[in-house]
Amino acid sequence: MNSNAPLPTVKDILPAGMWDGATASDSIVLDYDERHRRRFSYTGAGGTRFLLDLPRPRLLHDGDGLRLSDGSMIHVRAADEPLMEARAASPHALLRLAWHIGNRHLPAQITPDAIRLRHDHVIRDMLIGLGAEVTAIHAPFTPEQGAYAAASTGHGHHGHDHGHDHGDGHGHGHGHHHDHGHHDHAH
């Protein structure tokens, strides 16, 4: 490829299972952060260089296909990452762990019987203190995207008012404003 020629760009993202992976001319193995971008230049395992340029950040999933402007296809693979997996003695105990994790706004992947998180020794100790069995694993990480992901243009949280009506026409808001500066991730 001519080094002065523009890179092919991603024109379509075909969801896993909705395209034939055998048609891919190259593949790329990416961790969670590398799969959640808006604009980034990548190089596939076979040397294909291309540009992801989307209107807003989007999570690429394991098995997705990227159709490039030159017609070629790139197969997305989720890389294994060092994670910790928390399990509990009962569904109620697992829900309790999920509440504590959510209260800390941590990215978490929910499975039927466990919660996966990026390794963090402080959170590991907290979970063990809450009765969890925590195991170190290596696996792809695809955390829940959250209730506002579809409407959001990024990762930032927005302030919101939790108002309610007492049934007597005298409602009021609690004015809870959630602005946790650490949630503004630039990718």
Side-chain angles (χ1 to χ4, degrees):
M1 174 183 269
N2 179 347
S3 62
N4 294 328
L7 292 178
T9 58
V10 174
K11 289 296 180 193
D12 293 308
I13 300 172
L14 305 174
M18 301 299 288
W19 71 288
D20 181 3
T23 64
S25 59
D26 204 344
S27 64
I28 191 158
V29 179
L30 306 169
D31 68 18
Y32 172 70
D33 289 332
E34 294 166 332
R35 287 184 291 119
H36 195 241
R37 302 282 173 111
R38 185 192 77 76
R39 182 176 166 84
F40 202 78
S41 174
Y42 293 101
T43 302
T48 305
R49 295 180 60 231
F50 63 95
L51 178 66
L52 180 74
D53 189 11
L54 304 172
R56 63 186 143 300
R58 176 162 172 189
L59 178 62
L60 302 174
H61 295 278
D62 185 61
D64 283 355
L66 306 178
R67 183 174 315 165
L68 303 184
S69 54
D70 66 5
S72 63
M73 292 292 294
I74 306 294
H75 198 161
V76 175
R77 292 290 183 199
D80 285 350
E81 302 183 50
L83 304 175
M84 55 186 184
E85 187 170 75
R87 296 181 181 274
S90 70
H92 179 264
L94 190 63
L95 285 171
R96 186 169 171 254
L97 295 176
W99 185 89
H100 283 281
I101 291 165
N103 193 43
R104 284 156 183 81
H105 300 279
L106 298 172
Q109 181 176 345
I110 310 299
T111 72
D113 58 355
I115 302 169
R116 291 180 176 177
L117 305 134
R118 286 196 160 143
H119 184 76
D120 179 309
H121 71 279
V122 172
I123 299 303
R124 179 182 179 280
D125 291 347
M126 175 199 74
L127 293 170
I128 290 170
L130 291 167
E133 176 187 318
V134 181
T135 307
I137 64 168
H138 274 76
F141 186 51
T142 306
E144 295 291 322
Q145 291 302 292
Y148 301 107
S152 175
T153 58
H155 288 291
H157 288 284
H158 307 282
H160 52 278
D161 184 63
H162 299 283
H164 63 271
D165 188 336
H166 291 278
D168 58 2
H170 296 86
H172 64 275
H174 290 281
H176 297 293
H177 181 78
H178 300 282
D179 183 12
H180 307 281
H182 64 279
H183 287 291
D184 186 19
H185 304 285
H187 293 289

